[in-house]
Amino acid sequence: QVQLVESGGGLVQVGGSLRLTCAASGTIFRVSHMYWYRQAPGNQRDLVATITTAGNTNYADSVKGRFTISADNDKNTWYLQMDNLKPEDTAVYYCKQRPWGSADEYWGQGTQVTVSS
């Protein structure tokens, strides 16, 4: 059993920064892919960033150069540093973990990020 808990969301002004944290507990996977998604009202859930246990990262074009995903494998925790935030970044942000070689996926409950102009 895996539980993911996001934290760090909130209200920030345009150009500000937030750091989201996703802490995983329960079963620990030595190798996995970790993700951040976001979903704005009325929209589908979109992939924001990914990181593997090896440290390989990928970003959506809309956040490249502004967001940074990182992970602390010893703590089974990963982060999303969000800088130069824009109103269009407003959404509920979710973390997800997928163990290597498995089709299983584990989601957090989401954390709200609101960027005011």
Side-chain angles (χ1 to χ4, degrees), residues 61-101:
D61 288 342
S62 59
V63 305
K64 281 181 181 177
R66 300 189 298 121
F67 290 11
T68 303
I69 189 171
S70 60
D72 185 334
N73 294 327
D74 290 337
K75 295 182 179 179
N76 212 20
T77 299
W78 56 105
Y79 310 92
L80 186 68
Q81 177 67 40
M82 305 185 295
D83 298 317
N84 190 22
L85 283 161
K86 304 176 180 180
E88 52 265 40
D89 295 319
T90 295
V92 178
Y93 284 71
Y94 299 89
C95 62
K96 183 181 83 172
Q97 187 176 36
R98 182 173 62 82
W100 179 259

Side-chain angles (χ1 to χ4, degrees), residues 25-66:
S25 61
T27 302
I28 305 299
F29 303 105
R30 290 189 60 192
V31 182
S32 67
H33 286 80
M34 295 156 282
Y35 308 80
W36 285 101
Y37 285 76
R38 67 185 180 187
Q39 186 169 22
N43 290 359
Q44 64 183 16
R45 191 172 296 187
D46 293 326
L47 180 62
V48 175
T50 67
I51 188 168
T52 67
T53 307
N56 299 310
T57 60
N58 278 292
Y59 299 91
D61 288 342
S62 59
V63 305
K64 281 181 181 177
R66 300 189 298 121

